Amino acid sequence: MTTVETYPTLAEAARAMGGDAVYLGGGTLVMRAVNEGGAAPRLLRVTDPALREIRASGDTIRLGAGVTMADVLAHRDLAFLHAVARLVGGPQVRNMATVAGNLFAAHPYGDFAAALLALGARALPEGQGSARGVEELLRDRDRAGLIAAIEVPRPRDPRAFGFRKVSRVKPKGVSVLSIAACLPRESGRIRGARVAFGAMGPTPLRAPGAERALEGQNLDAESIDRAAAAATEGLSPPTDEIATEWYRREVAGVHLRRLLTEMGAS
Amino acid sequence: MAKTPVNFTLNGSPRSAFAGPGQNLLDFLRREVGDLTPKFGCGQGTCGACTVTIDGATHLSCLVLAESVEGRAIGTAAGLPDGATLDPLQEAFMDHFAAQCGYCTPGMLVSARALLDANPRPSRDEVIEAISGNLCRCTGYEPIIAAILAVAEGRARA
Ligand SMILES: Cc1cc2nc3c(=O)[nH]c(=O)nc-3n(C[C@H](O)[C@H](O)[C@H](O)COP(=O)(O)OP(=O)(O)OC[C@H]3O[C@@H](n4cnc5c(N)ncnc54)[C@H](O)[C@@H]3O)c2cc1C
């Protein structure tokens, strides 16, 4: 049996968290589990409207944990994330799915989290703790605690960020994989390349081989070739009902090449 | 188990009912409130048959915790007709044979109405996008798209 506890603030919910409690964000995944009878006995929800706030200050945009994909799409300062948010689920899911929930979504979900990972976003925990990189959070999600907000660095040149989701059903299909790339350039050369895959592992993961192939290079046919060849280095993609490991390995480089070629042409 | 009182509006009328612990909005609307227009299809958010609006935005009622709609405005397909007068979308769905078994129809209508309220002249692509969270296993979608476009283009029977 599931019981529900409602708190006015995240801080109060954090104090009530314990072994048998689950935090309810937009609910698209938690309520599925409730409907299937597999949810934790205690659902904790928070009514604080501040969780839906979006604040832009300088180079950083702060997304409250409860900001939905539709909220992202409605915000002008977040144009660089529109192509990502638009590809999460269908319209109803986008009205419900939160940005923090996406960080905790199990494979093959987490398309938005892959973008956050490539952008070098940081998650602000509830309480006194300092912001942690999304990469670090994804490495140990079970012990992440409650997230209050996500800080997203805005790419100085919007063309430095690219995203691609590969799915069999369009629109609204689940990811075979998704790719996010953040490739800031200084006098033509890539400085601080970050490439992340969604659905290529248990959580969104960076692609170290591709990043190494791109770092310090021009985004040209040669570097793109090398990045595509190294795309799956260090990754062991899972087999699920959407695709096999073999298939994901085969197509990851192909799609990375298409994304990088698009980004190189812009 | 303790039940939680929930006050909200349904299609503009104030309503109150008790929600069970962990009860979803779909089950709540059907069992405790008596609005049978939202349908149970999958219970996983995949099919869209349970689509309702909350404060104007479409939601999958099977994935909404019933007690979270305290103070909110719920809209369902039951609210589309004005007395005996059907919504132009309902007329167009009939004219275009956009319903066969009819199970997806209430959810489809709610998504279509939300689209037209926000964007009265959508393109075909925008219509397809707007109903992409609603599965139909009978029509192949074309009659549904045609019906929605007919209303948008003012070609539907008034
Ligand atoms: C039909 C359908 C299609 C979907 N399509 C996609 C898709 O295309 N791409 C995609 O990425 N996902 C997809 N999803 C999965 C899901 O909707 C998203 O990943 C969504 O962002 C999850 O957010 P939520 O707020 O609904 O999470 P919830 O269900 O509320 O929570 C999910 C998990 O995150 C935890 N959590 C939530 N908020 C916090 C917080 N502030 N602090 C700590 N933990 C938190 C919860 O405790 C829970 O463990 C789909 C789901 C459905 C039902």
Side-chain angles (χ1 to χ4, degrees):
Chain A
M1 202 51 169
T2 302
T3 63
V4 181
E5 297 165 31
T6 302
Y7 296 97
T9 63
L10 198 61
E12 281 153 278
R15 280 197 289 277
M17 284 298 285
D20 59 351
V22 149
Y23 181 78
L24 180 71
T28 56
L29 295 170
V30 170
M31 284 303 290
R32 250 192 201 181
V34 171
N35 292 345
E36 286 160 10
R42 292 165 60 223
L43 289 189
L44 273 51
R45 55 184 284 266
V46 171
T47 50
D48 189 352
L51 289 173
R52 289 279 290 265
E53 274 173 12
I54 298 176
R55 277 210 317 261
S57 54
D59 287 346
T60 304
I61 300 173
R62 187 186 145 115
L63 308 177
V67 165
T68 65
M69 298 299 152
D71 295 337
V72 170
L73 285 166
H75 207 285
R76 265 194 328 201
D77 287 331
L78 295 171
F80 64 100
L81 282 171
H82 286 183
V84 185
R86 200 176 293 119
L87 289 169
V88 173
Q92 303 97 318
V93 167
R94 290 195 287 277
N95 286 334
M96 303 169 69
T98 67
V99 293
N102 206 268
L103 292 174
F104 294 89
H107 168 93
Y109 295 138
D111 299 316
F112 198 82
L116 293 176
L117 177 57
L119 285 162
R122 296 150 68 79
L124 270 169
E126 165 52 35
Q128 303 303 313
S130 52
R132 286 203 304 163
V134 159
E135 181 168 18
E136 197 188 326
L137 179 148
L138 289 171
R139 232 180 270 135
D140 191 11
R141 289 197 287 200
D142 291 346
R143 284 192 297 176
L146 292 183
I147 301 303
I150 299 169
E151 294 175 344
V152 191
R154 192 201 321 243
R156 239 172 264 148
D157 176 0
R159 288 168 306 176
F161 177 71
F163 181 81
R164 191 177 180 92
K165 171 170 166 174
V166 182
S167 56
R168 296 173 192 266
V169 178
K170 290 189 192 65
K172 206 202 101 156
V174 175
S175 278
V176 169
L177 57 89
S178 53
I179 317 172
C182 195
L183 308 173
R185 280 176 260 183
E186 275 168 32
S187 28
R189 300 209 174 253
I190 297 167
R191 296 271 176 244
R194 290 176 71 97
V195 178
F197 278 117
M200 289 288 283
T203 70
L205 292 167
R206 287 175 72 176
E211 289 179 355
R212 222 176 305 116
L214 293 167
E215 187 62 33
Q217 306 299 311
N218 290 311
L219 191 55
D220 54 21
E222 204 183 311
S223 65
I224 292 175
D225 271 351
R226 277 189 286 112
T232 60
E233 201 188 289
L235 302 178
S236 54
T239 291
D240 58 20
E241 54 280 10
I242 310 292
T244 59
E245 169 179 6
W246 174 83
Y247 183 78
R248 285 193 162 98
R249 276 189 192 288
E250 287 294 308
V251 301
V254 175
H255 291 292
L256 178 61
R257 175 195 304 281
R258 288 181 191 165
L259 173 67
L260 296 177
T261 306
E262 241 168 61
M263 290 175 73
S266 71
Chain B
M1 244 333 152
K3 294 211 165 200
T4 309
V6 189
N7 305 290
F8 58 102
T9 65
L10 179 63
N11 300 318
S13 308
R15 300 294 286 265
S16 308
F18 284 97
Q23 186 173 31
N24 68 47
L25 179 62
L26 171 62
D27 200 55
F28 175 76
L29 288 172
R30 293 180 60 87
R31 284 176 204 262
E32 326 304 336
V33 182
D35 184 341
L36 299 177
T37 56
K39 304 297 179 201
F40 176 88
C42 67
Q44 304 186 333
T46 313
C47 75
C50 69
T51 302
V52 303
T53 56
I54 302 179
D55 297 339
T58 55
H59 282 64
L60 299 159
S61 62
C62 78
L63 298 183
V64 174
L65 185 71
E67 60 187 82
S68 71
V69 304
E70 174 70 32
R72 318 282 290 274
I74 310 297
T76 68
L80 289 178
D82 183 4
T85 311
L86 294 182
D87 187 285
L89 276 168
Q90 292 175 296
E91 297 283 359
F93 268 53
M94 290 198 287
D95 291 347
H96 290 82
F97 299 99
Q100 286 184 27
C101 86
Y103 204 74
C104 74
T105 309
M108 208 55 101
L109 286 167
V110 170
S111 287
R113 180 39 63 213
L115 167 69
L116 295 187
D117 286 349
N119 175 7
R121 307 282 296 192
S123 65
R124 182 186 157 86
D125 283 348
E126 287 169 331
V127 170
I128 291 172
E129 176 60 44
I131 60 168
S132 65
N134 295 80
L135 298 187
C136 171
R137 299 284 87 145
C138 302
T139 64
Y141 300 103
E142 284 302 328
I144 297 172
I145 297 165
I148 299 169
L149 283 173
V151 175
E153 289 159 10
R155 288 187 281 103
R157 189 154 47 117

